[in-house]
Amino acid sequence: MKNVILLCTILLLGACASDREKADMGKKSQKSQNSMGADSTLNKEVLKDKILGMLLGSAIGDAMGAPTEMWSRENIRIDYGYINDLTTMVREPSAEGTWDFNLPAGGTTDDTRWKKLMTEYLFTQKAGAALAPQDFAQHIIHQYEEDIKALKRTESFDPEPFETNVRKLAWLQEWARVAKPFKEDDLQAYAYALSRFYGGEMTCAGMLYSPVIGAFYPAAPQLAYAEAYRLSLFDLGYARDISAVTAALVSAAMNEKATAISVLNTIRDVDPQGYFKSRLVGRTAYRLLQEARSIVYQANQLQMKDVEVDQLIFPLNQKVDTLWLARTQKAYELLDAKNQDMPFHAGEIHLVNLTALLFCDFDFKKSLAFVVNFGRDNDTTAAVTGAILGAFYGAKKLPPEMVAQIIETNKNLLDTDLEGLADKLTAKVMDK
């Protein structure tokens, strides 16, 4: 018995020593990544192409979904048939949506505004240092206060200028209410504000801006996850993990040697907060990947002999492959069964995004079309899907006509210079 105990002790000490060695190696690797903040193999041209690809891909997804945001599939079909490109939108402005009536093709919503806001925050951060959550909170508060001042300065007999400035104010009001007590280190007030943030839902809040963090730490998914997790000030429970995973997916996609498998394996391999160890629950982000794989597998089991053509809902005025349509509708039906109470639930958006990537085999336009025509919060989901694929392929490999339209509309009408943001962000990353 003594010998057994001695042997176990030796093995345990050896394991502990091994763990310490691994931890030391991890710290050295983390230190190396922190000092660089980027994959040293990425030259400036490639880095800029991938950063711009992330911004453009996200904006394209946002713009494709913007005309039908929160619509049902039936309404999308009636008005648009099947959306597979940028299109003009006929919609009223809103705080989280477009800020003007009937924007042309390429018009974007809060999903792109958040990419811009996060990018501008990163410009304020010290090169090589960890991101400061309180600085991020202050950045949001400052923008909100500027919007208040703009509203107070409004002078007009007509109501439209007031309405426009109120929309800009309302865009950040929920966020500022959470950011303020966080910045002031008032933990109880922060907890209360967070619990009522957008009604206390498990929203996709951090997913709106975390792709930019992924691009800020290219080919370093562990580091991207860690920094995005720190800045997920508005997420509850596993939504925070999903926001950080989104950053890690973009970071992994920035690797020049990335494959679809290596990108998706990030959800399995990167878990510094230990969500896999969650008692009785496990890691929801990974379980949703398994569900996405199951949905795609079941949909692809359909063969032409199994298809009842008279049961298919064909897009109006468009020719499509019958088997592809049947498989798409099957995937949609399986996703419908997983819908959450709120379309902007982080888990739902994560699942639809992963299903699109797998079902469409990482094809840029097909993946975005799959997401947009599914409906629900399709602009946000497509913005996430587009960010990952844009980082994966780079701007030069995105559809040139879509790229040109997105750049023009956002720069000339929405005060968002995506190319300029990419230039500055690239320089910031290279300085780290």
Side-chain angles (χ1 to χ4, degrees):
M1 183 66 180
K2 289 181 180 179
N3 290 335
V4 172
I5 294 175
L6 178 60
L7 178 60
C8 290
T9 301
I10 292 172
L11 291 173
L12 180 60
L13 289 173
C16 291
S18 177
D19 286 344
R20 282 196 299 271
E21 290 171 1
K22 290 179 181 178
D24 290 341
M25 289 175 64
K27 288 178 181 178
K28 290 178 182 178
S29 175
Q30 183 80 346
K31 183 178 180 181
S32 175
Q33 283 186 337
N34 274 328
S35 64
M36 184 64 184
D39 177 9
S40 59
T41 64
L42 288 175
N43 63 45
K44 186 176 182 179
E45 182 180 354
V46 173
L47 179 62
K48 178 186 173 181
D49 184 51
K50 284 183 168 288
I51 288 177
L52 181 59
M54 181 277 297
L55 290 171
L56 290 173
S58 180
I60 289 171
D62 183 14
M64 284 181 66
T68 59
E69 181 182 6
M70 300 296 180
W71 284 25
S72 67
R73 284 201 297 282
E74 181 180 9
N75 286 339
I76 293 173
R77 176 176 174 269
I78 291 171
D79 273 31
Y80 291 93
Y82 188 82
I83 300 172
N84 56 13
D85 209 336
L86 298 172
T87 181
T88 56
M89 57 194 74
V90 180
R91 60 174 289 179
E92 294 184 359
S94 65
E96 284 78 22
T98 58
W99 281 348
D100 204 353
F101 286 89
N102 305 346
L103 289 174
T108 52
T109 72
D110 62 331
D111 294 279
T112 301
R113 289 195 291 272
W114 269 109
K115 306 300 186 301
K116 178 183 178 183
L117 191 69
M118 169 54 73
T119 302
E120 291 170 342
Y121 156 73
L122 292 174
F123 296 157
T124 70
Q125 294 301 284
K126 185 178 179 181
L131 300 180
Q134 289 202 326
D135 288 352
F136 181 45
Q138 180 56 47
H139 189 72
I140 294 170
I141 294 167
H142 173 73
Q143 182 61 59
Y144 181 66
E145 290 174 340
E146 290 299 306
D147 294 337
I148 293 174
K149 293 176 183 177
L151 178 60
K152 290 180 177 179
R153 290 194 302 267
T154 307
E155 295 182 3
S156 175
F157 177 80
D158 295 323
E160 285 80 5
F162 293 96
E163 292 170 352
T164 297
N165 284 334
V166 166
R167 282 193 292 273
K168 294 180 179 180
L169 180 73
W171 168 47
L172 286 177
Q173 68 181 30
E174 293 265 357
W175 305 77
R177 286 173 176 168
V178 176
K180 189 173 186 292
F182 181 88
K183 176 65 173 63
E184 296 170 350
D185 205 23
D186 187 342
L187 297 184
Q188 180 167 304
Y190 169 63
Y192 287 167
L194 182 59
S195 293
R196 67 169 294 280
F197 178 72
Y198 281 106
E201 269 292 330
M202 195 91 71
T203 66
C204 58
M207 298 174 78
L208 298 178
Y209 54 78
S210 61
V212 180
I213 303 175
F216 195 58
Y217 297 101
Q222 287 274 2
L223 186 54
Y225 179 103
E227 294 302 310
Y229 195 88
R230 286 158 52 79
L231 264 59
S232 297
L233 313 182
F234 309 92
D235 294 315
L236 296 167
Y238 64 76
R240 190 167 191 169
D241 180 45
I242 290 176
S243 289
V245 161
T246 301
L249 288 168
V250 170
S251 176
M254 299 281 284
N255 192 319
E256 284 191 280
K257 297 180 180 179
T259 64
I261 294 174
S262 70
V263 172
L264 294 176
N265 279 350
T266 301
I267 306 174
R268 179 198 67 191
D269 299 336
V270 178
D271 183 28
Q273 294 296 326
Y275 275 86
F276 273 113
K277 300 176 183 178
S278 300
R279 181 172 173 80
L280 304 179
V281 177
R283 193 181 199 185
T284 299
Y286 184 73
R287 175 177 54 79
L288 291 172
L289 173 59
Q290 292 176 306
E291 289 184 5
R293 285 173 173 154
S294 176
I295 289 170
V296 173
Y297 175 81
Q298 292 179 65
N300 285 335
Q301 291 309 296
L302 282 178
Q303 300 299 322
M304 200 59 220
K305 62 182 178 60
D306 305 316
V307 176
E308 297 181 18
V309 177
D310 59 339
Q311 298 298 312
L312 296 179
I313 302 175
F314 286 86
L316 298 177
N317 304 322
Q318 293 192 38
K319 294 181 179 180
V320 296
D321 178 82
T322 304
L323 181 58
W324 170 85
L325 177 62
R327 289 175 172 176
T328 300
Q329 288 188 190
K330 178 64 174 179
Y332 282 169
E333 290 167 5
L334 293 169
L335 283 171
D336 284 340
K338 305 290 184 179
N339 284 347
Q340 301 288 334
D341 290 340
M342 294 292 178
F344 45 84
H345 188 283
E348 177 175 323
I349 287 176
H350 186 57
L351 175 61
V352 177
N353 168 47
L354 294 176
T355 302
L357 292 173
L358 289 166
F359 186 76
C360 301
D361 196 24
F362 268 57
D363 182 277
F364 182 80
K365 288 192 72 172
K366 289 180 180 178
S367 296
L368 293 187
F370 179 94
V371 167
V372 170
N373 289 282
F374 176 68
R376 309 279 287 177
D377 194 1
N378 53 2
D379 67 322
T380 293
T381 311
V384 174
T385 307
I388 295 169
L389 292 176
F392 186 75
Y393 290 110
K396 293 178 182 177
K397 293 184 180 179
L398 300 184
E401 68 285 352
M402 300 179 88
V403 166
Q405 185 66 45
I406 281 290
I407 290 173
E408 179 183 355
T409 301
N410 282 268
K411 186 175 183 179
N412 295 337
L413 297 180
L414 301 175
D415 191 32
T416 301
D417 181 1
L418 294 169
E419 291 178 302
L421 290 173
D423 285 339
K424 293 178 182 178
L425 191 58
T426 301
K428 187 73 175 181
V429 173
M430 294 298 291
D431 284 344
K432 293 204 303 298

